[in-house]
Amino acid sequence: MALRTLFLSLLLLSICILSTALNVTYDSTSLLFDGQRKLVISGAIHYPRSTPEMWPDLIQRAKDGGLDTIETYIFWNHHEPEYRQYDFSGNLNFVKFLKTVQDNGLNAILRIGPYVCAEWTYGGFPVWLKHLPGIVFRTYNKPFMSEMKTFTTLIVDMAKKEKLFASQGGPIILAQIENEYGDIMGAFGEDGLKYLDWCAKFAVSLDIGVPWLMCQQNNPVAPPPMLVACNGPYCDSFKPNNSYSPKMWTENWVGWFENWGQSVHHRPAEDVAFSVARFFQLNGSVMNYYMYHGGTNFGRSAGGPLITTSYHYDAPLDEYGGLNQPKWGHLKDLHLLLKSLEKIMLYGNSTTKTFDKNKLESSTIFEFNGTKACFLGNSHDDKDITLELLGKNFTVPAWSVTILKDCKTETFNTAKVRAQTSVKVRVPSRTNLQWATKREYPIHYKDPLFEKHALIKSNVFLSDEAPDQKIANDTSDYLWYMTQFTVHDPKFGEQILLHANVSGPIIHVFLNGKHIDRWSGSYSSHGFIYEQLLNIELGKLYHLSILTVNAGYANYHAHYESYVNGISGPVKVVSQNSMHSMVLTKWELRSGLGGILRKMHLGSGRWDQSVISDRPFVWFKTTFDSPRGTDPVVVDLLGMGKGLAWVNGFNIGRFWPSAFANNQGCDSCDYRGDYGRGKDKKCRSECGASTQRWYHIPRSILKDTGNMMVLFDEFGGDPSNVSIQTVPTGHICANAPADTTLVLSCEDRMLQNVPPGMYGAAATTAIGKVFTEVSFASFGNANGTCGPVPKPFQKGSCDSPNTLAAIKKACIGKELCELDVSEKTFGTSNCTSDVAKKLTVSLKC
Ligand SMILES: *[C@@H]1O[C@H](CO)[C@@H](O)[C@H](O)[C@H]1NC(C)=O
Ligand SMILES: *[C@@H]1O[C@H](CO)[C@@H](O)[C@H](O)[C@H]1NC(C)=O
Ligand SMILES: *[C@@H]1O[C@H](CO)[C@@H](O)[C@H](O)[C@H]1NC(C)=O
Ligand SMILES: *[C@@H]1O[C@H](CO)[C@@H](O)[C@H](O)[C@H]1NC(C)=O
Ligand SMILES: *[C@@H]1O[C@H](CO)[C@@H](O)[C@H](O)[C@H]1NC(C)=O
Ligand SMILES: *[C@@H]1O[C@H](CO)[C@@H](O)[C@H](O)[C@H]1NC(C)=O
Ligand SMILES: *[C@@H]1O[C@H](CO)[C@@H](O)[C@H](O)[C@H]1NC(C)=O
Ligand SMILES: *[C@@H]1O[C@H](CO)[C@@H](O)[C@H](O)[C@H]1NC(C)=O
Ligand SMILES: *[C@@H]1O[C@H](CO)[C@@H](O)[C@H](O)[C@H]1NC(C)=O
Ligand SMILES: *[C@@H]1O[C@H](CO)[C@@H](O)[C@H](O)[C@H]1NC(C)=O
Ligand SMILES: *[C@@H]1O[C@H](CO)[C@@H](O)[C@H](O)[C@H]1NC(C)=O
């Protein structure tokens, strides 16, 4: 024990000694660290999109993937959910997150905003901000600037107090104020310019000792000394619109997010690598992946409207923190190579030559102190070309960059992926779930239940006109609009039309406490007109409740504070011939669900031991044991409708497995061509299937046994197929060029680095997975791909005779195998000399 204490204090001492101040400055080439130029290869990991137990592993894997920096936004609405009530606990502990980054020897970029967009509800602004008198977001507006100043100052002060800035020995090397302001500032005219100026002056006044940046603020250019940076799938043609800023790329979009009702996006590793190599070829020096780990929109944090709970983004680390292979490995190979050329690239001369008038064909020679490094670029969509470099010809495939470490031989080509592809499978746990259910309490005007419940009273609003759903701030996805009416005038007849103008994805309509209707707009439209014929009795009193549902508040566009959610126009009763109408007034509003007030999401209340299927507004409860091992855990919710899910009281997010995707974009996945233009048409998966069927349950919230899962389903569902599943690697495949070393593995978790608690108590012993079968092997010119949009493997015209036997020998029964990809291993092939041989292999885990 004493020894351990001594060891710990020595460790702390050494950390203190290491944490000396770093002077971060810049010139037009790069950032300077104590005067030294360095390449910055960074990746975004948003701390609230994972759990604190996942952070060390995510950061370690980012480091193993060749990153030197982790970037995050700050999420104001979660930190200040109510005016001047702050929360920095659990996965909101950004200080702890940044210290974990530092403990791993990485730097950090802190993008405070505090507007962040980020597909995060309301762009990260607390909804209460909207209610401050006279407020206009993101322009020269006193109430807004005052709140922005208060919150930003608070964050900076917290970071200073913890000595988190590099100037204090901390990890933060750059900070950002505002976010992509240049994209919307046109809407604000002169005030936009004044605000831009104010942002810069305010940032500088915070005196953090590291440079500030503003991304997407090149025209008009951000005021000095703000650095400028580009966001997008490609930023090679970006040129800072000032003399002092290095060429920086704050968001390399490695994929994209989904809306409910869309198929799933993938951006090929070849294309991401191409974008990176090209950026560095053309003098880029700071690059950040958006995202490196996308993670999960837990709770009600997804933005919108209509953004899914998964925020995987097809990032190099998958939603659960595992390696998204081959993307992770291919980019790692590129990062290590770029780092090895850092000095030549940042201190040397660079000469770029273009070979055609559109500058699609180029060569760049970096030269420093007698050493050289070369890049050959081919930006043609579909034309492979030959380029001459220093008296030698090189073939460069379409849409790729070749890097030649010594300018003589090809070291790396962005289109030639050596890293293995890992295909994840889902394995259901064997036990059937037993369900208890309970109906939610639809409420109506002057509901006695509602009157007597103290908690409910504090949530009551009265209004003549139906107001914006945001009147309740962001306390729930659900707002009840309740009123009563009687039709006396016989001119209306006995059939009336109920009419409402709705802004938002869904409403439920209750008449006298009975659910009579559910309406939703299309997944792409943000509002609709609700009209329904009702049979009524003249002179009779009707209780009408309309429940509006939020599925993420808008997170983008100028003036989004003026957007209305919920019922956005008058609600009317109209005679069938449209000649007469009556506007309904005297609304009573209540935010939230009766079940939540009764803590049913925590398992409380009385439950029935029978299943109520396919009826709206039902609570479901079950318990399950944690699956053994360390593979990620998900719940398959196919069969359920839409709602919210909790595990052990932790809100794992909105679920909506009944939102099905269209059929576009799943047929092909050619990495070549502009991904920004192509992403809606190619490399999609889950066409015709549920947009999101599986929902992440972080292992760190699980106990060994008796975990409680509660679902609230507003549409109605059948839980008979719901199951807890794990997501291991099912098989792997690879296409490795000759004369390289290929490392294959079934395990993407570095088990020796598992911090305590990472996988919950169930993971006492890690079970390493081994290769069980070689399903395809050819060293020659086979074709095919595996991955999200697979093409079956097929032998080509030639290959080596011993390929299958050699791979079986090297890999079966092993967790990891290493192969020398050459005829030495696989035997002499019958390929002619013009064939570029490669090893095409597929193995089961
Ligand atoms: C950091 O470096 C710059 C440029 O060399 C220099 O002007 C400045 O004084 C340095 N700051 C500190 C705190 O050493
Ligand atoms: C919403 O926030 C505003 C501003 O802080 C506050 O005045 C109002 O009372 C809040 N409403 C609710 C229902 O909490
Ligand atoms: C650079 O910024 C100035 C003003 O800030 C603007 O007038 C100019 O058009 C910008 N140039 C480019 C190339 O964006
Ligand atoms: C890169 O920077 C060098 C100066 O270091 C310059 O000569 C060259 O033109 C730049 N290349 C490009 C493509 O901007
Ligand atoms: C850059 O090129 C010039 C002229 O070609 C040469 O004089 C100079 O030494 C070179 N600098 C480096 C760092 O290689
Ligand atoms: C330049 O190269 C020489 C000889 O290879 C070496 O001694 C020297 O340290 C190098 N200079 C720099 C600045 O790297
Ligand atoms: C490279 O290819 C071009 C066009 O095919 C040819 O004209 C040239 O002679 C070749 N150069 C070398 C060094 O082989
Ligand atoms: C619905 O209400 C919104 C907000 O009041 C309004 O902008 C929109 O035009 C209305 N739509 C219709 C079809 O009346
Ligand atoms: C459960 O799955 C089976 C097999 O796929 C299917 O036939 C059945 O319709 C599903 N039941 C529900 C309620 O989704
Ligand atoms: C794959 O290989 C087979 C056999 O050589 C060939 O017929 C086929 O055209 C190839 N397909 C592609 C897409 O290259
Ligand atoms: C190469 O050998 C394979 C069998 O290993 C055979 O199927 C193929 O036709 C041969 N190809 C050539 C070009 O001889």
Side-chain angles (χ1 to χ4, degrees), residues 386 388 391-393:
T386 299
E388 192 171 336
K392 232 177 130 182
N393 275 345

Side-chain angles (χ1 to χ4, degrees), residues 5 44 54 181 212 256 294 319 332 394 479 494 541 655 723 778 790:
T5 316
M54 291 167 73
Y181 190 56
W212 283 96
W256 203 246
E319 179 177 0
K332 170 185 175 154
F394 295 91
L479 187 69
E494 298 205 330
L541 179 73
F655 65 84
S723 75
S778 172

Side-chain angles (χ1 to χ4, degrees), residues 431-451:
T431 44
N432 281 334
L433 298 172
Q434 301 297 316
W435 295 93
T437 55
K438 181 78 191 165
R439 305 202 67 172
E440 167 61 3
Y441 309 81
I443 50 163
H444 52 83
Y445 197 66
K446 303 280 180 217
D447 190 327
L449 207 90
F450 156 66
E451 295 279 318

Side-chain angles (χ1 to χ4, degrees), residues 146 170 380 399 405 447 554 590 655 758 776:
S146 161
H380 288 289
W399 206 254
K405 217 175 154 116
D447 190 327
R590 203 202 85 187
F655 65 84
M758 160 84 206
F776 184 90

Side-chain angles (χ1 to χ4, degrees), residues 44 77 104 135 208 223 266 441 446 518 537 618 673 708 737 811:
N77 61 337
N104 280 275
I135 202 155
I208 57 175
H266 303 276
Y441 309 81
K446 303 280 180 217
R518 172 184 105 214
E537 277 175 49
V618 176
M708 180 182 61
C811 302

Side-chain angles (χ1 to χ4, degrees), residues 29 236 239 247 281-283 345 348-352 364 366:
T29 300
D236 46 87
K239 239 175 97 77
K247 182 165 166 177
Q281 173 186 355
L282 301 176
N283 288 348
M345 289 169 63
N349 283 347
S350 105
T351 317
T352 294
T364 300
F366 289 96

Side-chain angles (χ1 to χ4, degrees), residues 347-349 367-370:
Y347 283 97
N349 283 347
E367 188 168 3
F368 172 62
N369 195 22

